[in-house]
Amino acid sequence: GYDIETANLITKAIKSPRSAIIDDHGNVWVGTYNQGLLVFNEQLECVKYFHTNTGLKHNIVQSIFYDSREYCWVGTASGLSRI
């Protein structure tokens, strides 16, 4: 299970998805409106969370692109971030 803070974050993210992709490993990347970027594994467990405090340019995620080098490019309200 998740702690209450993580559970609340996941609930908000699911309610406000802006974009989503599935990468080559089956992970689901969900960009949100003001909650940053969450990554879920194949079992839909949240395994990573990116936001402005962890290097994302803005918490409003508008687009996601996963390239052939396995970089995730995230278009945000303040510019492009590479993960």
Side-chain angles (χ1 to χ4, degrees):
Y2 299 110
D3 61 55
I4 192 71
E5 185 176 333
T6 303
N8 286 338
L9 173 70
I10 293 169
T11 299
K12 286 180 184 178
I14 291 170
K15 287 182 180 178
S16 64
R18 301 285 291 217
S19 54
I21 61 164
I22 299 173
D23 68 21
D24 295 340
H25 305 284
N27 297 309
V28 179
W29 298 68
V30 179
T32 69
Y33 182 82
N34 219 29
Q35 268 76 46
L37 178 70
L38 291 93
V39 184
F40 298 88
N41 64 17
E42 290 179 325
Q43 291 75 38
L44 295 181
E45 298 167 325
C46 185
V47 293
K48 294 178 187 170
Y49 171 46
F50 300 96
H51 48 84
T52 53
N53 292 340
T54 61
L56 204 59
K57 294 216 182 248
H58 200 285
N59 285 333
I60 296 175
V61 175
Q62 299 169 318
S63 60
I64 307 168
F65 177 75
Y66 189 80
D67 72 18
S68 61
R69 294 183 180 169
E70 299 191 354
Y71 288 117
C72 185
W73 296 88
V74 183
T76 74
S78 293
L80 193 62
S81 295
R82 185 184 81 175
I83 298 173

